[in-house]
Amino acid sequence: MEKFLIPPDEEGYSFSKGQEVIAIALKGGISSYRKDIKNASSRLSVQWTLDREGYKYFNLFFGLSINNGADPFLIDLLMDSYELTEHVVYFIPGTRKLAKTSGFTFIVEAELEVRMNQPTTNDNMYLEAYKRLGNGVFYYEDLFNTTINHKFPNL
């Protein structure tokens, strides 16, 4: 599967998570909730600000590498994490457009259908750490990364 190398602009995101649960309104009481669809896809509106070379790469990638949007591709996105993570996506047909040009700057907008990544063991560990440490978990994670990656890089 091909990977698109230019992540979207961080400030150009609009995210709608896929609905995996449905609610049935009941007379005189709280609604009934149940799991409906497993691994529902999500929709993401994105924007890229590209120079001439980036715009040419974007169009060639769309036309040649992913068959004019018919094939899935990989891209790094900010979704359920504060870090870029790789996701499998499709362009939603008819949503890719050149929104604006200014000299040799091109702003491209599109909607992507995103296959969400499954939670990992690290996600569960982070959830438990947050329950115990609150916002301090970021401090300890940064301290650990700094110690391991900067103070002891040759271990």
Side-chain angles (χ1 to χ4, degrees), residues 34-111:
R34 70 176 174 85
K35 190 90 165 174
D36 183 39
I37 300 170
K38 187 175 180 180
N39 301 326
S41 65
S42 299
R43 291 178 74 111
L44 181 66
S45 295
V46 292
Q47 161 184 307
W48 289 271
T49 303
L50 305 166
D51 59 13
R52 285 188 299 189
E53 291 79 17
Y55 186 62
K56 183 174 183 174
Y57 168 72
F58 182 92
N59 286 315
L60 289 172
F61 182 87
F62 185 82
L64 300 175
S65 297
I66 60 167
N67 196 19
N68 288 314
D71 298 332
F73 63 99
L74 299 170
I75 190 169
D76 292 332
L77 298 170
L78 289 169
M79 298 287 287
D80 288 340
S81 176
Y82 60 92
E83 301 175 311
L84 288 171
T85 52
E86 189 174 75
H87 292 270
V88 176
V89 301
Y90 287 87
F91 277 103
I92 296 175
T95 64
R96 180 183 66 105
K97 67 178 179 179
L98 177 60
K100 183 179 178 184
T101 61
S102 177
F104 293 119
T105 301
F106 303 87
I107 297 176
V108 178
E109 295 175 347
E111 285 189 43

Side-chain angles (χ1 to χ4, degrees), residues 80-81 83 85-87 116-128:
D80 288 340
S81 176
E83 301 175 311
T85 52
E86 189 174 75
H87 292 270
M116 298 303 293
N117 294 337
Q118 295 301 308
T120 64
T121 303
N122 288 342
D123 293 334
N124 291 328
M125 288 173 25
Y126 180 85
L127 184 61
E128 288 303 315

